[in-house]
Amino acid sequence: MAKGVLLVISGFSGAGKGTLVKRLTEKYDEYALSVSMTTRNPREGEQEGISYFFVSREQFEQTIAENGLIEFAQYCGNYYGTPRAYVEQQLEAGRNVILEIEIQGATNIKKLFPESCLLFVTTPTAEILESRLKGRGTETDEVIAKRLARASEEAQGMDMYDYIVINDDLETCVDEVHALVDAARREPVRMKSFIEDMQNQLMGYSKGE
Ligand code: 5GP
């Protein structure tokens, strides 16, 4: 069976990343969402093993020492990392594994797994981003201003991604992401055994010349 695609999804806060990922996994069976490990405290409503695996610094460092993470980063004084076993098992089983991680983690993944597919999710305009952040009604003006300032920094890294996904209409965006991943599955790097098999089959003909 062909291996799945390691799919990294980053994007501005407010661009609809979370909703996009949720819809993608609901609509298509072949996606698995990786749950990260972190040393930060759970926020209200967050669930162990669903939002994150919440661990102590000692446990996190132990996991690093055991080579149990495929990447990790420090962010605002806490560790965040991607557990190795789940990602490897799901990719072997032919499923596309989604990592919803920030830009530094995405850079590390691309170095470690050059065949990974990096998507950056954005709104069509900055104005729409601002109005979506305000529309949530959950954040103060100060937090919104911080997130927009951060978006401005993150925008500097957009061109290192493989694809920019403009989240205007959710369903269109979900199907577009799925089409991009389907195309990635046809890249020769993921079709090695098919290529070898085809080359071997055709060898018989070249000998018979
Ligand atoms: P938060 O504390 O708001 O849940 O996450 C903070 C940042 O860490 C977000 O940008 C999130 O995407 C990122 N993040 C979450 N999990 C991981 C991970 O496993 N690795 C890396 N590098 N970043 C992560």
Side-chain angles (χ1 to χ4, degrees), residues 120-206:
F120 192 93
V121 184
T122 173
T123 48
T125 66
E127 207 179 357
I128 295 173
L129 186 66
E130 184 184 4
S131 75
R132 283 201 197 158
L133 282 171
K134 285 185 173 161
R136 280 177 175 178
T138 51
E139 265 99 29
T140 60
D141 284 353
E142 197 194 331
V143 171
I144 291 170
K146 266 193 195 154
R147 294 198 174 195
L148 287 169
R150 206 186 136 77
S152 168
E153 283 170 30
E154 285 172 349
Q156 300 306 311
M158 280 168 82
D159 48 12
M160 75 114 182
Y161 282 78
D162 295 312
Y163 300 103
I164 304 299
V165 177
I166 300 171
N167 187 6
D168 193 359
D169 171 71
L170 178 66
E171 285 308 312
T172 313
C173 189
V174 166
D175 292 339
E176 192 180 312
V177 168
H178 185 62
L180 290 172
V181 174
D182 251 355
R185 291 190 90 132
R186 291 285 170 264
E187 288 170 9
V189 66
R190 258 176 289 274
M191 304 215 30
K192 276 188 185 143
S193 62
F194 175 86
I195 293 172
E196 266 171 38
D197 191 34
M198 199 63 182
Q199 286 169 340
N200 286 337
Q201 286 179 42
L202 285 168
M203 208 102 82
Y205 292 91
S206 78

Side-chain angles (χ1 to χ4, degrees), residues 9-11 13 17 34-38 40-41 43 46 51-52 54 60 69-76 78-83 99-109 147 150 154:
I9 301 193
S10 306
S13 170
K17 245 181 324 171
S34 160
V35 177
S36 295
M37 185 178 275
T38 184
R40 84 151 160 76
N41 292 324
R43 293 187 192 124
E46 284 187 332
S51 319
Y52 282 105
F54 297 99
F60 199 101
L69 301 173
I70 53 174
E71 64 79 37
F72 67 94
Q74 296 237 27
Y75 182 93
C76 297
N78 282 302
Y79 279 128
Y80 292 82
T82 306
L99 310 183
E100 204 191 313
I101 60 178
E102 46 70 62
I103 216 160
Q104 190 54 52
T107 313
N108 291 337
I109 289 289
R147 294 198 174 195
R150 206 186 136 77
E154 285 172 349

Side-chain angles (χ1 to χ4, degrees), residues 23-61:
R23 188 73 193 113
L24 191 64
T25 52
E26 277 168 8
K27 194 164 180 177
Y28 301 102
D29 285 340
E30 62 264 46
Y31 293 88
L33 180 60
S34 160
V35 177
S36 295
M37 185 178 275
T38 184
T39 57
R40 84 151 160 76
N41 292 324
R43 293 187 192 124
E44 216 178 298
E46 284 187 332
Q47 284 175 276
E48 166 67 20
I50 295 175
S51 319
Y52 282 105
F53 295 106
F54 297 99
V55 298
S56 65
R57 281 192 91 80
E58 292 69 40
Q59 283 171 301
F60 199 101
E61 282 164 1

